[in-house]
Amino acid sequence: NEHTTHSQSHYPKYPTSKRKMADAAAATPKTPTPDGELMLNSSGVIQKCDGDWQGQQDEIAATVWKMLKEVKFISVGQGESMERLYIKKDDVEYVVTGKDCTYYILKYIKS
């Protein structure tokens, strides 16, 4: 009986597959929270502005919109999506995505 109790204490709390899943989830880096978010409509007009853009939201939106228009294959129509376009300037990274005629600009400040 003592041996059975001792042997049971060597078993992992969870089956191996669940433990591996938990370890993998713990090791997966968390998606950082953006420092700002802009939402543009299909005409490039800002529909939503969250975060601290230090008064540069219009300039950033216009620059990104110009880039999207110059690269015509990037524009997204109804039912289409654009995964990610990365733009880096100094210590700031902008991630541009789009879906159903709406574009999102996420701002990440490198620390």
Side-chain angles (χ1 to χ4, degrees):
N1 201 1
E2 230 176 85
H3 183 338
T4 304
T5 305
H6 179 70
S7 296
Q8 287 176 346
S9 69
H10 285 72
Y11 290 116
K13 263 183 155 178
Y14 304 105
T16 305
S17 61
K18 285 187 180 178
R19 179 171 297 280
K20 285 181 183 176
M21 287 174 32
D23 290 346
T28 303
K30 303 288 184 215
T31 303
T33 303
D35 296 296
E37 179 180 352
L38 294 177
M39 183 175 77
L40 310 180
N41 67 13
S42 61
S43 299
V45 177
I46 297 174
Q47 299 298 299
K48 177 181 167 189
C49 179
D50 290 332
D52 182 11
W53 290 86
Q54 299 176 352
Q56 296 180 333
Q57 64 271 16
D58 292 327
E59 178 185 342
I60 299 296
T63 301
V64 169
W65 187 251
K66 181 180 176 187
M67 290 173 61
L68 291 172
K69 289 295 147 196
E70 286 176 0
V71 186
K72 298 199 184 288
F73 70 88
I74 290 183
S75 63
V76 294
Q78 192 65 31
E80 298 177 333
S81 66
M82 177 180 68
E83 287 298 318
R84 284 181 197 91
L85 172 66
Y86 296 91
I87 303 167
K88 291 183 181 180
K89 182 180 178 188
D90 301 324
D91 290 338
V92 181
E93 181 175 87
Y94 302 96
V95 180
V96 183
T97 61
K99 184 171 179 149
D100 296 329
C101 303
T102 303
Y103 297 88
Y104 300 90
I105 304 170
L106 303 177
K107 174 184 177 181
Y108 297 93
I109 299 172
K110 303 281 185 176
S111 49

